């Protein structure tokens, strides 16, 4: 809502992104299905998939890292793996951890069995593409406090005007999965903000908005997920209307509103289906305050994503 500023808080999302990328474990694959206790469908982390091949051994661990089972990679297509349980007990949701060494091939032929497994990996889409594209709509409440300076002759007085209203927007969304739980998300579109206060103060803004977010799954399965996101937005005003007060110039001077960087923090839930997903949640938008304006927005979001 005010001129662009550079401050320490604008670096926080970028620093957090770097920390998560470094801290993310290299064994972030997980078990999606266990069939008859022996046959296991696994979706590997993108980075892990580049180093795992047929014949490798994988540990299955709990979320705290405790090893519960040992499996043999029998067939692999992209990130999708069909493994055979060798030791322990496998459960849906367990994580994977690579073990050095390969299992020697048995003399018995598995050609018939492997043919069916190849077809199964081709039809299995829970791992899906790392890249998703979709649309998102948002609607929320906005609050704004403006300091109004009024000059009469040689005397200048200041007053504070509280305003409230609504925000709404439509954005295209691009989501890229870096690891099984961690990804980056970009959103580009239009945000509208309208606030009123007092008797006749009103501010209407239309922004072109670009959001750059880190997205992290706190919980994830093949049918439900809970995620959090943190990042920054770059909001550039397309049109500005301010009215009210002495001279009907509004609580904010229109020429003082320019491109602004802001902090975005939010959370949501996702419902994945075969190749697409629906998600919803809420975001908190914090505009860096200037000497005369403070703005906050809380917005509900609803979107849909498709694999590319």
């Amino acid at each position: 809502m005010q001129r662009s500023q550079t401050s320490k808080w604008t670096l926080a999302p970028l620093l957090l992104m770097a920390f998560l990328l470094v801290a993310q474990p290299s064994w972030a694959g997980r078990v999606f299905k266990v069939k008859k206790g022996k046959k296991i469908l696994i979706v590997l982390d993108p980075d892990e998939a580049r180093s795992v091949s047929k014949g490798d051994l994988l540990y299955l661990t709990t979320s705290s890292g405790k090893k519960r089972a040992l499996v043999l990679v029998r067939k692999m297509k992209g990130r999708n793996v069909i493994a055979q349980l060798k030791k322990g007990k496998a459960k849906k949701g367990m994580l994977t951890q690579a073990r050095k060494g390969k299992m020697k091939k048995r003399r018995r032929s598995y050609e018939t069995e492997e043919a069916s497994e190849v077809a199964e990996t081709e039809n299995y889409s829970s791992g899906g593409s790392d890249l998703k594209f979709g649309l998102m709509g948002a609607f929320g409440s906005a609050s704004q406090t403006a300091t109004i300076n009024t000059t009469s002759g040689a005397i200048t007085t200041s007053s504070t005007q509280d305003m409230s209203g609504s925000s709404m927007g439509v954005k295209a969304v691009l989501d890229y999965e870096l690891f099984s739980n961690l990804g980056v998300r970009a959103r580009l579109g239009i945000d509208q903000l309208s606030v009123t206060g007092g008797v006749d103060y009103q501010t209407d803004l239309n922004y072109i908005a670009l959001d750059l977010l880190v997205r992290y799954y706190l919980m994830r399965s093949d049918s439900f997920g809970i995620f959090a996101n943190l990042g920054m937005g770059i909001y550039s005003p397309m049109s500005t209307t301010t009215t009210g007060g002495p001279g009907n110039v509004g609580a904010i001077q229109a020429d003082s509103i320019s491109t602004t960087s802001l902090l975005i923090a939010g959370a949501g839930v996702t419902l994945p289906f075969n190749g697409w997903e629906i998600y919803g949640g809420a975001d908190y938008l914090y505009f860096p305050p200037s000497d005369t304006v403070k703005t906050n927005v809380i917005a509900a979001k609803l979107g849909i994503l498709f694999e590319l």
Side-chain angles (χ1 to χ4, degrees), residues 16 32 51 56 91 117 126 131 143 155 158 166 198 229 239 260 264-265 286 296 304:
L16 179 64
F32 271 81
S51 61
D56 284 353
K91 291 184 179 180
E117 289 177 350
S126 294
L131 189 63
S143 63
I155 301 175
S158 296
S166 62
N229 56 252
S239 62
T260 302
I264 301 173
Y286 174 77
N296 295 284
I304 185 169

Side-chain angles (χ1 to χ4, degrees), residues 1 166-170 189-195 203-209 234-242 257-259 287:
M1 303 299 301
S166 62
S167 69
M168 60 188 304
V170 177
I190 297 174
D191 267 4
Q192 297 177 328
L193 184 67
S194 180
V195 292
T203 301
D204 295 314
L205 293 165
N206 291 319
Y207 283 110
I208 293 179
I234 302 173
Y235 281 48
S236 180
M238 294 188 301
S239 62
T240 305
T241 302
T242 61
I257 302 172
S258 61
T259 299
F287 290 75

Side-chain angles (χ1 to χ4, degrees), residues 77-245:
K77 184 177 179 63
R79 293 169 54 200
N80 299 327
V81 166
I82 291 182
Q84 182 180 4
L85 182 67
K86 307 305 295 182
K87 184 179 179 181
K89 187 174 182 181
K91 291 184 179 180
K92 179 180 176 181
M94 282 184 170
L95 304 178
T96 61
Q97 182 179 9
R99 172 185 161 174
K100 294 182 179 180
K102 295 180 180 287
M103 182 71 71
K104 293 182 179 179
K105 291 185 178 180
R106 298 183 181 181
R107 294 178 182 178
R108 173 187 169 189
S109 173
Y110 289 102
E111 291 181 1
T112 303
E113 186 178 350
E114 287 185 353
S116 64
E117 289 177 350
V118 172
E120 195 165 356
T121 57
E122 290 176 348
N123 293 330
Y124 184 60
S125 61
S126 294
S129 170
D130 297 335
L131 189 63
K132 295 183 176 69
F133 175 80
L135 295 173
M136 183 197 83
F139 182 83
S141 62
S143 63
Q144 187 177 90
T145 300
T147 300
I148 303 170
N149 297 316
T150 303
T151 301
S152 178
I155 301 175
T156 299
T157 58
S158 296
S159 62
T160 299
Q161 179 63 61
D162 293 326
M163 296 179 287
S164 62
S166 62
S167 69
M168 60 188 304
V170 177
K171 297 176 183 177
V173 182
L174 192 66
D175 184 282
Y176 182 71
E177 188 168 288
L178 298 171
F179 302 96
S180 61
N181 289 331
L182 181 68
V184 291
R185 180 169 291 181
R187 308 187 306 209
L188 177 64
I190 297 174
D191 267 4
Q192 297 177 328
L193 184 67
S194 180
V195 292
T196 59
V199 178
D200 52 4
Y201 283 110
Q202 181 168 348
T203 301
D204 295 314
L205 293 165
N206 291 319
Y207 283 110
I208 293 179
L210 173 62
D211 304 330
L212 302 173
L213 308 170
V214 177
R215 185 261 306 140
Y216 185 80
Y217 276 101
L218 305 172
M219 187 192 83
R220 191 181 189 187
S221 71
D222 55 352
S223 59
F224 181 76
I226 299 175
F227 68 90
N229 56 252
L230 178 66
M232 63 182 298
I234 302 173
Y235 281 48
S236 180
M238 294 188 301
S239 62
T240 305
T241 302
T242 61
T243 59

